[in-house]
């Protein structure tokens, strides 16, 4: 088919405009270089090094003009590879409380044999970045580091801005940099409030933006041990008090038990705002439960969804089991790990007592494993935090509401809140409907979501830092 010169000229112009639109801005190209270096620095607990990642991010900050006095690299002798970084950009008003940017550097383990691509090489494919940590949480760590680089070249804001990159968020029982800073170097991270992961937003299966989220609360993570003991004996002579059977009966009771609905201002606001964004039958249940937490019909409807059920209440579930010592012997011992995600305002000991009451068997003990952290305390629904985020979202994400959420998982914000620093999981980065492989195989993030989230968070930090 022959094409007229006019059409050919138009097509050439259109192609050039498309290519121009897709070409990264110079600042985006510089960010990608930083992001790629961070993602490709292995920070798994087994063989990686957060200390090395911190040193590499410090190098970017120093290249931007930060001095040794502005940067603190920290670690402890017992965990030399689990170090972190705190950087400070001083503001013009020494009386204004600083703003803290927090992100974790460590990532979940990833086996090359299981992945389609090398998990520790950043690969761009079909509009996505693939790699372990591409989303959780090196996207935010890179954005915050990049923001500090960009702000150093600009006139100083009113508030001091602090950056903390830490290790240990992904592994229970590992050295946790955020916890260590809050207990040992509180002055380094002292702030009026902090920005962290846990918020963001969601895309539908077709990549259409659905909503933005501001995390203002999270549950407390805690494990409990259920244990049955018995003298045991020869398997040819069974006895009624079998440790495995006793434990099994206890676990069946835990499975059947449902903690009561426990809403707080955050989850109440979540259901009120989310109601308009879901199918009517679900929305009606959300509106009803927000108005009356004792509405049993609404509770039944919402409890069918695992995420909404976890938002309603404390949840406990068996995750590990072990029992017996030989194939031809009666079990002398059987144990199970029960993992609980505890609603804010409930203590770990209160939950232990509830579980013990549910089990209701003197032959089965319920004990608290080592406490993993403080009890979660919601951050206030502060207009000084929400209004700037909402105003910027109206400009950059028109039509999307910012919904306050309680994380049913866990983040390092819990250590900051315990230290008296309210922490907010900020919106901006929109994540895939299927979770994007976070903690699983072929973790990925949409390039456009990362870049737009970067712009949003950079501008949001500037607004907060300039606020009176």
């Amino acid at each position: 088919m022959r094409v007229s010169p006019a059409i050919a000229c138009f097509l050439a112009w259109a192609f050039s405009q498309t290519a121009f639109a897709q070409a990264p801005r110079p600042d985006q190209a510089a960010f990608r270089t930083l992001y790629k270096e961070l993602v490709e620095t292995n920070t798994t607990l087994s063989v990686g090094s957060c200390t090395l990642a911190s040193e590499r991010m410090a190098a970017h900050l120093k290249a931007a003009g930060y001095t040794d006095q502005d940067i603190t690299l920290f670690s402890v002798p017992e965990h030399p590879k689990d170090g972190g970084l705190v950087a400070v950009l001083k503001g013009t008003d020494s009386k204004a409380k600083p703003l803290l940017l927090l992100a974790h550097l460590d990532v979940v383990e990833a086996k090359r044999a299981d992945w389609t691509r090398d998990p520790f090489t950043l690969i761009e494919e079909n509009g996505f970045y693939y790699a372990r940590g591409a989303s959780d949480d090196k996207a935010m760590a890179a954005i915050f580091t990049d923001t500090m680089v960009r702000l150093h070249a600009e006139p100083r804001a009113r508030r001091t801005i602090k950056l903390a990159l830490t290790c240990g968020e992904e592994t229970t029982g590992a050295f946790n940099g955020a916890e260590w800073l809050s207990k040992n170097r509180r002055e380094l991270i002292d702030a009026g409030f902090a920005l962290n992961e846990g918020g963001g937003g969601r895309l539908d299966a077709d990549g259409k933006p659905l909503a933005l989220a501001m995390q203002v609360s999270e549950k407390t993570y805690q494990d409990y041990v259920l244990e049955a003991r018995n003298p045991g004996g020869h398997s040819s002579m069974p006895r009624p008090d079998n440790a495995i059977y006793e434990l099994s009966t206890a676990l069946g009771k835990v499975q059947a038990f449902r903690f009561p609905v426990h809403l707080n201002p955050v989850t109440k606001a979540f259901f009120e705002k989310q109601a308009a964004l879901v199918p009517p039958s679900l929305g009606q249940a959300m509106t009803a439960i927000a108005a009356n937490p004792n509405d049993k019909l609404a509770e039944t409807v919402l409890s069918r969804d695992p995420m909404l059920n976890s938002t309603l209440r404390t949840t406990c579930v068996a995750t590990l089991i072990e029992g017996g010592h030989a194939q031809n012997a009666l079990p002398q011992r059987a144990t199970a790990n029960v993992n609980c995600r505890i609603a804010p305002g409930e203590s770990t000991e209160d939950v232990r007592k509830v579980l013990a009451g549910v089990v209701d068997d003197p032959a089965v003990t319920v004990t608290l494993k080592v406490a993993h952290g403080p009890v979660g305390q919601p951050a206030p629904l502060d207009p000084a935090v929400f209004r700037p985020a909402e105003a910027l979202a109206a400009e950059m994400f028109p039509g999307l509401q910012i919904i306050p959420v309680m994380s049913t998982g866990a983040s390092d914000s819990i250590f900051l809140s315990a230290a008296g620093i309210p922490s907010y999981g900020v919106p901006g980065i929109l994540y895939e409907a299927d979770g994007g492989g976070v903690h699983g195989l072929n973790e990925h993030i949409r390039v456009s979501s990362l870049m737009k989230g970067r712009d949003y968070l950079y501008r949001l930090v500037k607004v907060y830092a300039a606020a009176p």
Side-chain angles (χ1 to χ4, degrees):
M1 182 179 77
R2 301 186 66 177
V3 179
S4 71
I7 293 177
C9 182
F10 171 80
L11 291 175
W13 174 84
F15 177 80
S16 69
Q17 293 302 302
T18 301
F20 176 79
Q22 293 176 344
R25 308 187 310 250
D27 64 288
Q28 290 176 330
F31 166 71
R32 188 187 185 283
T33 298
L34 183 154
Y35 173 64
K36 176 179 172 66
E37 182 177 22
L38 182 57
V39 168
E40 295 186 350
T41 303
N42 189 321
T43 53
T44 57
L45 181 65
S46 60
V47 299
S49 175
C50 290
T51 300
L52 177 60
S54 299
E55 292 168 349
R56 288 176 171 174
M57 293 303 98
H60 283 275
L61 294 171
K62 288 181 179 180
Y66 288 83
T67 68
D68 289 338
Q69 287 70 43
D70 300 323
I71 298 172
T72 300
L73 291 164
F74 67 91
S75 64
V76 297
E78 299 83 5
H79 301 279
K81 291 186 177 182
D82 297 342
L85 171 154
V86 176
V88 178
L89 181 62
K90 290 185 177 180
T92 59
D93 186 351
S94 60
K95 295 181 180 179
K97 290 186 176 181
L99 172 67
L100 174 64
L101 314 179
L102 175 69
H104 68 86
L105 298 171
D106 58 314
V107 296
V108 171
E109 302 287 340
K111 294 183 179 180
R112 175 65 184 94
D114 297 337
W115 281 54
T116 304
R117 308 159 192 83
D118 180 356
F120 297 103
T121 298
L122 183 68
I123 295 174
E124 184 174 352
E125 187 177 298
N126 297 325
F128 289 87
Y129 286 130
Y130 290 85
R132 173 58 85 220
S135 175
D136 185 16
D137 183 34
K138 290 182 176 178
M140 183 160 283
I143 286 172
F144 281 163
T145 304
D146 170 74
T147 294
M148 295 290 282
V149 166
R150 297 167 75 183
L151 292 177
H152 195 277
E154 300 178 4
R156 293 293 182 266
R158 178 172 176 263
R159 295 179 185 273
T160 291
I161 306 171
K162 298 180 177 182
L163 168 68
L165 302 178
T166 60
C167 201
E169 195 271 351
E170 296 289 14
T171 307
T172 301
F175 171 78
N176 186 289
E179 180 180 25
W180 185 87
L181 286 169
S182 66
K183 291 181 177 179
N184 298 278
R185 296 297 306 273
R186 173 69 166 73
E187 78 284 356
L188 279 179
I189 58 170
D190 183 52
F193 64 95
L195 310 183
N196 190 20
E197 64 171 340
R202 276 288 179 268
L203 302 163
D204 67 13
D206 298 321
K208 178 184 176 182
L210 293 176
L212 294 166
M214 178 85 81
Q215 180 198 340
V216 290
S217 179
E218 67 181 66
K219 287 183 160 184
T220 300
Y221 176 110
Q222 185 59 55
D223 290 306
Y224 298 85
V225 178
L226 272 60
E227 181 177 61
R229 288 182 176 269
N230 194 280
H234 202 286
S235 61
S236 65
M237 294 181 289
R239 47 191 293 166
D241 54 346
N242 183 297
I244 289 177
Y245 294 157
E246 290 168 339
L247 178 65
S248 298
T249 299
L251 290 176
K253 293 178 180 178
V254 173
Q255 179 188 19
F257 177 73
R258 180 176 286 171
F259 281 80
V261 171
H262 186 168
L263 297 188
N264 56 53
V266 176
T267 52
K268 183 175 183 293
F270 165 78
F271 283 120
E272 289 172 341
K273 290 197 172 187
Q274 187 74 8
L277 305 177
V278 298
S281 59
L282 194 59
Q284 290 168 6
M286 289 181 172
T287 300
I289 205 75
N292 177 18
N294 296 316
D295 189 317
K296 295 302 181 183
L297 178 59
E299 177 188 349
T300 299
V301 172
L302 297 174
S303 296
R304 294 175 187 147
D305 182 286
M307 190 279 288
L308 297 177
N309 177 64
S310 188
T311 303
L312 285 172
R313 54 172 53 85
T314 291
T315 60
C316 294
V317 61
T319 55
L320 293 170
I321 190 167
E322 180 182 356
H325 60 283
Q327 291 182 347
N328 59 352
L330 299 176
Q332 297 169 182
R333 180 172 174 267
T335 66
N337 186 86
V338 172
N339 176 250
C340 297
R341 307 300 175 117
I342 303 172
E346 299 177 17
S347 75
T348 55
E349 176 58 18
D350 287 342
V351 171
R352 189 202 67 78
K353 289 179 180 178
V354 170
L355 289 175
V358 170
V359 170
D360 191 26
D361 185 348
V364 179
T365 61
V366 180
T367 58
L368 184 78
K369 267 193 176 178
V370 176
H372 298 296
V375 175
Q377 299 295 332
L381 296 170
D382 189 348
V385 176
F386 272 82
R387 285 176 183 166
E390 290 168 339
L392 186 57
E395 176 186 341
M396 295 186 65
F397 301 96
L400 296 190
Q401 292 188 67
I402 292 182
I403 300 174
V405 298
M406 175 186 72
S407 172
T408 58
S411 78
D412 284 338
S413 290
I414 201 165
F415 299 113
L416 298 186
S417 65
I421 303 173
S423 184
Y424 298 86
V426 281
I429 304 175
L430 295 173
Y431 299 98
E432 298 304 303
D434 62 1
V438 169
H439 286 207
L441 292 177
N442 306 312
E443 182 177 345
H444 55 281
I445 189 170
R446 202 173 291 254
V447 175
S448 57
S449 293
L450 178 67
M451 293 302 177
K452 190 165 186 177
R454 170 181 177 258
D455 288 343
Y456 178 88
L457 291 172
Y458 165 70
R459 293 179 62 183
L460 185 63
V461 168
K462 290 186 67 171
V463 172
Y464 286 147

